[in-house]
Amino acid sequence: MIDYSVDGDGVASIVWNMTDRSMNVMNQASVAAFGEAAQKAIADKAVKGVIVTSAKGDFVAGGDLVSMLEESKDAAKALQNSFKLQKMFRDIEKAGKPFVAAINGTALGGGYEICLACHRRIAADNPKALIGLPEATIGLLPGAGGTQRLPRLIGVSKALPMILEGKKVDPKAALGLGMIDEVVAPADLLKRAKEWILGDGQTGHVKPWDQKGFRVPEAANTPRGAQVFTAGNAMLRAKTQGNYPNAQYIMSCVYEGMLVDIDTGLKIESRYFVACTQSKEARNMIRSLFFSIGEANKLANRPKNIPTQTYTKVGILGAGMMGAGIAWACSSVGIQTVLLDSTQESADKGKAYSAALLDKRIKAKKATEADKEKQLGLIKATTSYDDLKGCDLIIEAVFEDRAIKADVTKKAEAQIAPTAIFASNTSTLPISGLAEASSRPANFIGLHFFSPVDKMPLVEIIRGKQTSDETLARAMDFVKKIRKTPIVVNDSRGFYTSRVFATYVTEGLTMLAEGVAPAIIENAGKMAGMPVGPLALADEVSMELMHRVRQQTRKDLGDAYKSDGSEPVLQAMVEKLGRIGKKAGKGFYEYPADGRKKLWSDLAKHFPVKPAAEQPDVQDVIKRLVYIQSVETARCLEENVVIDVRDADVGSIMGWGFPPFRGGTVSNIDTVGVQPFVTECDALAQKYGARFTPPRLLRDMAAQGKAFYAA
Amino acid sequence: MTEAFIYDAVRTPRGKGRASGALHEVTPMRLATTALEAVRDRNNPDTSLVDDVVLGCVMPVGEQGSDIARVALIQAGYAETTAGVQVNRFCASGLEACNMAAAQVMSGQSQMAIGGGVESMSRVPMGSDGGAWATDPAVAMPTYFVPQGISADLIATKYGFSRDDVDSYAVESQKRAKRSWDEGRFKKSIIPVKDINGLTILDRDEHMRPETTMQSLASLDPSFVAMGEQFGFDSVAMQRYPDVERIEHVHHAGNSSGIVDGAAAVLIGNKEAGQKTGLKPRARIRSFASIGSEPTIMLTGPSFAAEKALKLAGMKPSDIDLYELNEAFASVVLRFMQALNISHDKINVNGGAIALGHPLGATGAMILGTMVDELERTGKSTALVTLCVGAGMGTATIIERV
């Protein structure tokens, strides 16, 4: 696991080499072995210095979250463990002989914290290697000295964004930031490390902060530091709405730690680290953002025993916004892509979207002209269905109209092999209905992409009544191939994501109709942790579209259709006021050409606002906006629309930005507690309507004291 | 309870609080002793009757540090038996110092005490004393810290004061301050600051801009836009006040209090102490109060402090002839007038800190003196003096002419 050796010149090597795992990670066993090796090197008078490196492609990828969660169940024990780790690194730092991190590949989290404890950091020039402290992105903080050593090394104002945003950078960028000291050719890495040990390292092994008179230049007791923290606190609160305790804890580690010596600072960091591990926010984020997304990416729910399908040619029907984006996604992984539309002009326009994205990437130095030429060469813009011959998969992305969809389905199926898959990118129309136009409904499936496709990582796979296991497995292979995350749901109106997402917007519109002040609705949405308020979202989505979907649903369902509180609002906005949304430049907001959007000044004339004294507490508004999404998700689970609770969580976070600190729509129920959630929903139902009534599934779970996830 | 009377009140003129200001060459110690010497020399040569000197000072560090009140009274030649204490209630420190002096008298523990304050903002700038509220994440983030300028703009937004409203208030403040100087209304209490040769350095408030018009103010950009929008403070304020869609930034240097240097002292005592030294009381202290209010909007405390002081005095807002509220920001005064339904002709009749400046630790004692003078000049009876205070507080004092 950790190889230790000393060469003839007295240079010891401590080599991370966890042969039973794809990457080196820090867990109890590996850390203990590493500490032992370090102690041996420190104690051995013949050892002049130590190289810390890895025998694998990467250096050390960070902490093992499974063991971290296990070990942090008891706060007092977790703190003692943390102190032990800090001491181990501190012993290296004060060894009295030089330690060099020879960073051969990716060094993240605890891996980079090992490097920080060393006296010099030399990285191989490996542009694929990532260096950083990403703990913040899963609700934690760097708890092995990262919050103390990085600001002391590169300054508070440079370190804070790295830690708070969990940024990962390549070795060159890390060098520019001062996070590492040297970048050398991979072949020279160990040679250079040894050279430094036997040269400058013999005197250069006392850290600046272990030298007398060291002051952190941007500590809060300096004028510059006071500014950095004053503005930093506000910017952080503006961004997080106070929802992420670890963000504040990181700020506190740096603020408090820079006012004291390093040993005291490390104690402070350990205490805040343990507080993170005990927080429900971190548990939620680790579960959903790390484990559940990981499982989804590994296709955990793929039907077994079906051979993996490879994709060489894909056809896309409709070169609008979605079709063009899907063409980008396919061609970017080397799939030959046919982009078909009714006119050549539209098809070309769809292809030009990929050209524009590539130009942007070239400008950002993320691609070359050759890459562009190669990728565009894969996209054929056409009007001819003949070009679809040989496609493994067709993705239909035409206008949301049954007749048009049926027509293109027939035309496309006439050209493709009987085994090929036909997928619809509809976001609202039930798949089983669309499959009626297909001559092989077993091969018909829904692939719901999100806009903009090049940025949104999720694909919702919808299984129709007749979709076969094989088709599902093969569709999942495709989503993996284009490097997106699949969730699998059963057919239903709006499927899972559109259906639950809509409840957030609908609830906001309903409140407007009730007379809740629009500013409160919008601020509550953001304070709840959603990316934007519901009214702004309605403007983005287009109220015309929302209105049309409802009319279609009404037509489809007839008497079974249930109107909701948002309908009068949509009707008024679309039919009476002609304020259909952002695209038209007017909706709930005004969009002045030269300024920030602001709520339409006449909004209150059409939707009278209750007097201030009767306005709800913002916490109640937040609760409504969040709970409605969770209770609708519970209904999806009960109706078997969503099959795996992890998919529900992943889909909510990646699909429409449900707040990660809540862990997703399902984890949110567990966080509240199923029983209290049911009780609160009953109260909400009584006050605001039956849509809050918890489904049987939740009542039963509450009665049996069950939760969705093991604690 | 023993009654506390104001026997005299003095203040220095207010010098512009920057290097080019006339009082920048004068140490804060010298400003404080100027006020203390004057209040002694005009009234009561036997300083051993003064039990305590309470001075407000908001940046009590550097040359304003180490209990400036005690050192200033020694330097001013007071009896060594007179104690001195420096207090900090932010912008209301000067008034708080007077209230504490009055409290000593009213409780019978002192027969005479001086309240006052000093601040050389040009020499010991704001922020010099640090503090945890803004910088410590564990404090700032959970308590929604925003700087006062954002709070002032939040008040304007929430209570509906437009840029025109705050600007016209500022123009009127300048007009009133000029009239007061033209008519000599401050004459009674102004003590010129003199140099070592006895030559006058400054004998008039220096910050005023009587030529101010709506047009000239309109050319000023709002001061707190970058702070609010780029540094996230607007969002922080809105998380505390989610009924606000966006914060309208209306305040600027022309409708906010000026940064100035100055000092003030108010001689307070019981009846017997006055009789012993042959002094005639000028006003009686009816009541005083300090309160805490919501800290993010921060500056709405005065109406609550006023209500508390009124209640303690058994009075209603309409029983007060004159109001004096420190013009920290125009919206603070406009909100106070709105909350207590006070007409503009009853409040800040001689102009305020927008025109004259706000030497943090001294202002409260200065405007208390202004009210004593104004009651005497007009023959009116009652006045209420109040200030908004950082971190969400308010301090108020009600006096009655005798």
Side-chain angles (χ1 to χ4, degrees):
Chain A
M1 182 164 8
I2 301 286
D3 302 332
Y4 180 77
S5 62
V6 184
D7 72 9
D9 297 317
V11 174
S13 290
I14 298 177
V15 182
W16 283 76
N17 189 14
M18 294 174 83
T19 46
D20 54 339
R21 310 186 66 128
S22 61
M23 299 236 226
N24 294 320
V25 293
M26 291 169 67
N27 57 25
Q28 229 169 4
S30 66
V31 166
F34 173 69
E36 219 173 283
Q39 287 302 335
K40 206 191 289 179
I42 294 169
D44 186 345
K45 291 220 166 71
V47 169
K48 293 197 183 107
V50 185
I51 299 173
V52 181
T53 190
S54 150
K56 299 172 93 78
D58 288 317
F59 186 77
V60 179
D64 176 355
L65 287 170
V66 178
S67 73
M68 196 280 298
L69 284 177
E70 192 50 44
E71 286 157 25
S72 62
K73 281 194 170 144
D74 178 78
K77 236 169 80 189
L79 186 64
Q80 290 314 313
N81 283 337
S82 177
F83 284 162
K84 248 194 271 171
L85 183 64
Q86 302 278 28
K87 181 180 181 298
M88 177 190 297
F89 284 13
R90 194 67 184 121
D91 285 347
I92 290 174
E93 200 164 41
K94 295 193 298 182
K97 58 181 80 172
F99 274 67
V100 179
I103 310 165
N104 55 314
T106 289
L108 293 174
Y112 177 59
E113 288 174 298
I114 294 174
C115 306
L116 281 172
C118 292
H119 303 99
R120 195 163 182 87
R121 289 152 292 279
I122 305 175
D125 187 5
N126 170 0
K128 289 231 167 85
L130 292 173
I131 294 173
L133 298 169
E135 288 88 341
T137 58
I138 46 168
L140 298 174
L141 60 81
T147 70
Q148 299 306 303
R149 293 194 177 92
L150 192 60
R152 281 176 169 82
L153 186 68
I154 68 172
V156 171
S157 52
K158 272 203 265 177
L160 274 177
M162 291 302 301
I163 306 174
L164 285 168
E165 292 162 36
K167 282 190 193 163
K168 303 172 199 172
V169 295
D170 65 28
K172 285 243 167 77
L175 180 68
L177 284 160
M179 293 172 67
I180 57 175
D181 303 303
E182 283 181 60
V183 176
V184 299
D188 297 337
L189 182 63
L190 296 178
K191 193 181 84 191
R192 177 59 197 137
K194 182 170 173 178
E195 192 179 289
W196 188 82
I197 285 172
L198 296 174
D200 291 349
Q202 288 306 307
T203 51
H205 55 73
V206 181
K207 287 283 179 67
W209 46 90
D210 283 324
Q211 293 170 24
K212 220 177 155 184
F214 176 77
R215 288 266 177 282
V216 185
E218 293 173 318
N221 56 4
T222 66
R224 162 94 186 127
Q227 274 177 7
V228 168
F229 283 99
T230 302
N233 292 336
M235 286 193 279
L236 194 57
R237 167 127 218 157
K239 199 170 143 193
T240 62
Q241 310 274 331
N243 286 328
Y244 293 84
N246 69 314
Q248 187 230 298
Y249 295 167
I250 288 169
M251 282 297 273
S252 287
C253 283
V254 179
Y255 170 87
E256 294 174 29
M258 295 311 113
L259 294 171
V260 295
D261 62 280
I262 180 111
D263 288 299
T264 309
L266 293 170
K267 271 195 270 183
I268 291 167
E269 180 189 81
S270 286
R271 292 185 193 280
Y272 277 116
F273 174 75
V274 171
C276 286
T277 66
Q278 306 300 303
S279 72
K280 54 188 191 297
E281 291 83 0
R283 301 232 158 215
N284 279 335
M285 288 165 82
I286 291 169
R287 177 199 297 135
S288 296
L289 298 180
F290 190 80
F291 291 114
S292 297
I293 287 180
E295 290 299 303
N297 286 335
K298 276 188 243 160
L299 310 187
N301 289 324
R302 185 182 186 277
K304 304 282 175 288
N305 303 322
I306 293 162
T308 302
Q309 157 132 28
T310 54
Y311 288 86
T312 50
K313 187 174 177 185
V314 169
I316 294 155
L317 310 182
M321 181 75 187
M322 292 309 287
I326 298 167
W328 154 269
C330 293
S331 57
S332 67
V333 296
I335 297 175
Q336 207 184 322
T337 307
V338 180
L339 186 54
L340 184 145
D341 209 314
S342 53
T343 69
Q344 188 62 42
E345 196 192 341
S346 311
D348 288 340
K349 202 177 146 206
K351 180 173 174 175
Y353 180 74
S354 283
L357 281 180
L358 281 157
D359 285 339
K360 247 193 241 169
R361 290 177 65 83
I362 291 170
K363 224 173 149 188
K365 300 216 157 65
K366 285 183 179 157
T368 62
E369 285 293 340
D371 294 333
K372 178 181 170 188
E373 201 176 319
K374 192 172 147 214
Q375 188 173 338
L376 290 183
L378 288 168
I379 305 176
K380 181 173 178 63
T382 183
T383 59
S384 165
Y385 282 82
D386 289 342
D387 288 327
L388 298 176
K389 282 203 172 70
C391 280
D392 308 303
L393 165 71
I394 302 291
I395 302 169
E396 166 275 302
V398 301
F399 195 65
E400 295 276 80
D401 179 298
R402 281 209 177 71
I404 301 174
K405 285 190 189 290
D407 180 54
V408 301
T409 305
K410 289 202 171 82
K411 282 183 180 151
E413 284 187 351
Q415 302 299 326
I416 54 174
T419 50
I421 299 176
F422 190 97
S424 173
N425 174 51
T426 180
S427 59
T428 51
L429 301 171
I431 286 296
S432 307
L434 296 178
E436 285 166 17
S438 169
S439 56
R440 52 276 180 72
N443 289 16
F444 199 100
I445 199 163
L447 285 180
H448 176 205
F449 286 82
F450 293 76
S451 182
V453 178
D454 57 291
K455 289 212 181 80
M456 298 292 282
L458 188 75
V459 177
E460 183 179 26
I461 302 182
I462 303 107
R463 203 174 170 159
K465 273 200 191 82
Q466 301 187 59
T467 308
S468 67
D469 273 359
E470 192 190 340
T471 300
L472 174 61
R474 289 162 61 199
M476 291 176 87
D477 293 339
F478 169 71
V479 175
K480 185 176 181 180
K481 167 83 184 168
I482 59 169
R483 296 189 199 125
K484 295 205 183 284
T485 302
I487 61 167
V488 180
V489 306
N490 281 318
D491 199 10
S492 141
R493 187 166 293 275
F495 320 127
Y496 164 60
T497 58
S498 303
R499 173 171 162 182
V500 177
F501 163 71
T503 61
Y504 171 64
V505 180
T506 301
E507 198 60 27
L509 269 57
T510 306
M511 288 193 247
L512 185 70
E514 288 170 12
V516 178
I520 295 181
I521 299 172
E522 292 297 82
N523 284 324
K526 284 179 260 178
M527 289 164 74
M530 298 292 290
V532 272
L535 304 182
L537 212 47
D539 273 10
E540 301 270 346
V541 171
S542 145
M543 278 183 270
E544 195 179 32
L545 178 69
M546 292 167 60
H547 191 46
R548 204 166 57 220
V549 169
R550 277 174 171 70
Q551 284 169 323
Q552 175 76 44
T553 312
R554 183 193 293 269
K555 216 164 74 190
D556 291 354
L557 296 183
D559 290 346
Y561 178 74
K562 274 187 264 169
S563 171
D564 63 51
S566 71
E567 273 203 37
V569 179
L570 283 175
Q571 198 149 16
M573 290 298 281
V574 176
E575 289 176 13
K576 193 171 123 206
L577 303 166
R579 301 188 66 91
I580 60 173
K582 187 180 177 185
K583 221 165 49 182
K586 51 185 188 173
F588 290 123
Y589 283 84
E590 297 173 42
Y591 298 88
D594 56 344
R596 284 188 303 163
K597 70 176 179 193
K598 56 171 192 241
L599 282 162
W600 180 35
S601 48
D602 279 352
L603 203 52
K605 274 191 202 152
H606 302 278
F607 307 102
V609 177
K610 285 190 288 196
E614 290 170 39
Q615 287 295 323
D617 185 274
V618 72
Q619 291 305 327
D620 293 337
V621 178
I622 290 171
K623 194 170 278 181
R624 281 177 73 174
L625 291 172
V626 174
Y627 279 32
I628 193 68
Q629 299 178 66
S630 285
V631 80
E632 189 69 18
T633 300
R635 256 177 235 125
C636 288
L637 287 167
E638 180 170 271
E639 294 166 20
N640 202 31
V641 172
V642 178
I643 307 146
D644 187 329
V645 291
R646 296 173 301 181
D647 277 359
D649 276 342
V650 167
S652 66
I653 293 173
M654 295 175 99
W656 71 89
F658 190 85
F661 77 94
R662 300 184 193 272
T665 48
V666 174
S667 285
N668 180 55
I669 301 176
D670 268 4
T671 306
V672 176
V674 178
Q675 176 62 66
F677 184 81
V678 165
T679 308
E680 290 197 84
C681 281
D682 278 331
L684 288 168
Q686 201 151 40
K687 232 170 143 181
Y688 302 111
R691 63 190 179 281
F692 282 101
T693 305
R696 186 85 256 153
L697 168 91
L698 285 182
R699 288 195 197 286
D700 291 348
M701 285 178 69
Q704 294 158 17
K706 280 191 183 163
F708 287 101
Y709 293 95
Chain B
M1 194 165 51
T2 310
E3 285 193 318
F5 295 94
I6 295 176
Y7 286 102
D8 200 9
V10 299
R11 71 168 174 101
T12 68
R14 306 179 217 193
K16 283 183 192 169
R18 45 181 132 108
S20 59
L23 297 183
H24 185 57
E25 62 174 282
V26 181
T27 65
M29 188 59 72
R30 183 73 202 115
L31 293 177
T33 55
T34 298
L36 290 178
E37 285 163 10
V39 83
R40 174 195 57 205
D41 296 347
R42 282 172 30 151
N43 300 289
N44 174 18
D46 182 5
T47 50
S48 68
L49 283 173
V50 178
D51 293 298
D52 203 1
V53 172
V54 187
L55 290 187
C57 181
V58 180
M59 291 298 140
V61 295
E63 54 180 342
Q64 292 183 163
S66 291
D67 191 356
I68 191 169
R70 171 62 180 163
V71 183
L73 74 88
I74 297 169
Q75 171 77 1
Y78 275 48
E80 67 181 24
T81 51
T82 303
V85 62
Q86 173 264 321
V87 299
N88 182 6
R89 200 187 289 283
F90 301 131
C91 299
S93 298
L95 187 61
E96 188 61 49
C98 295
N99 291 348
M100 287 182 170
Q104 292 188 27
V105 171
M106 291 158 89
S107 66
Q109 308 304 304
S110 290
Q111 37 186 341
M112 247 185 196
I114 288 173
V118 57
E119 204 82 42
S120 176
M121 300 180 74
S122 71
R123 295 172 67 107
V124 187
M126 281 191 283
S128 299
D129 66 340
W133 194 22
T135 53
D136 185 343
V139 181
M141 292 183 67
T143 60
Y144 305 88
F145 166 80
V146 301
Q148 290 187 358
I150 300 292
S151 306
D153 286 339
L154 174 61
I155 291 175
T157 307
K158 193 169 160 62
Y159 295 104
F161 305 120
S162 66
R163 171 73 186 255
D164 267 7
D165 294 337
V166 287
D167 279 358
S168 33
Y169 180 85
V171 170
E172 180 64 20
S173 175
Q174 295 284 0
K175 218 184 276 174
R176 291 182 182 189
K178 179 179 187 312
R179 183 185 61 197
S180 301
W181 271 102
D182 289 351
E183 294 179 4
R185 294 188 188 183
F186 297 134
K187 210 170 51 193
K188 248 183 179 168
S189 42
I190 290 281
I191 307 298
V193 177
K194 295 190 171 161
D195 74 1
I196 192 167
N197 306 299
L199 301 173
T200 297
I201 296 175
L202 188 71
D203 60 2
R204 190 181 161 89
D205 292 326
E206 195 185 26
H207 181 268
M208 293 187 294
R209 289 172 174 272
E211 69 286 1
T212 300
T213 62
M214 288 299 278
Q215 286 79 0
S216 65
L217 290 184
S219 67
L220 296 174
D221 285 332
S223 301
F224 306 105
V225 175
M227 199 181 263
E229 292 175 5
Q230 285 164 33
F231 295 140
F233 286 111
D234 282 0
S235 170
V236 174
M238 280 154 55
Q239 290 174 39
R240 185 64 188 78
Y241 288 89
D243 55 330
V244 172
E245 182 206 349
R246 59 194 278 166
I247 292 176
E248 305 295 341
H249 293 287
V250 297
H251 287 97
H252 49 72
N255 54 31
S256 312
S257 54
I259 292 173
V260 293
D261 304 334
V266 178
L267 179 63
I268 296 164
N270 61 25
K271 204 168 190 175
E272 295 71 38
Q275 282 166 346
K276 246 188 258 176
T277 46
L279 286 175
K280 197 176 154 305
R282 297 174 62 189
R284 184 165 66 96
I285 292 176
R286 291 277 307 255
S287 68
F288 53 83
S290 285
I291 57 94
S293 59
E294 199 285 304
T296 300
I297 205 164
M298 203 180 317
L299 310 175
T300 54
S303 67
F304 307 119
E307 281 167 344
K308 186 175 173 188
L310 284 166
K311 198 172 163 205
L312 287 168
M315 299 169 85
K316 320 185 281 297
S318 57
D319 294 334
I320 299 293
D321 297 325
L322 293 171
Y323 284 91
E324 185 78 12
L325 165 56
N326 182 38
E327 293 173 347
F329 298 90
S331 68
V332 171
V333 186
L334 293 173
R335 170 57 194 157
F336 181 81
M337 290 159 62
Q338 186 184 58
L340 294 188
N341 194 20
I342 293 161
S343 68
H344 198 171
D345 57 4
K346 278 176 83 170
I347 186 165
N348 298 350
V349 290
N350 288 335
I354 289 173
L356 301 166
H358 172 24
L360 305 178
T363 309
M366 286 186 172
I367 60 178
L368 181 65
T370 301
M371 279 296 97
V372 174
D373 289 346
E374 186 63 12
L375 287 178
E376 288 173 346
R377 190 187 72 81
T378 57
K380 288 181 173 159
S381 171
T382 54
L384 186 150
V385 179
T386 180
L387 301 93
C388 58
V389 181
M393 291 187 282
T395 295
T397 305
I398 296 174
I399 58 170
E400 185 177 9
R401 188 170 56 86
V402 289

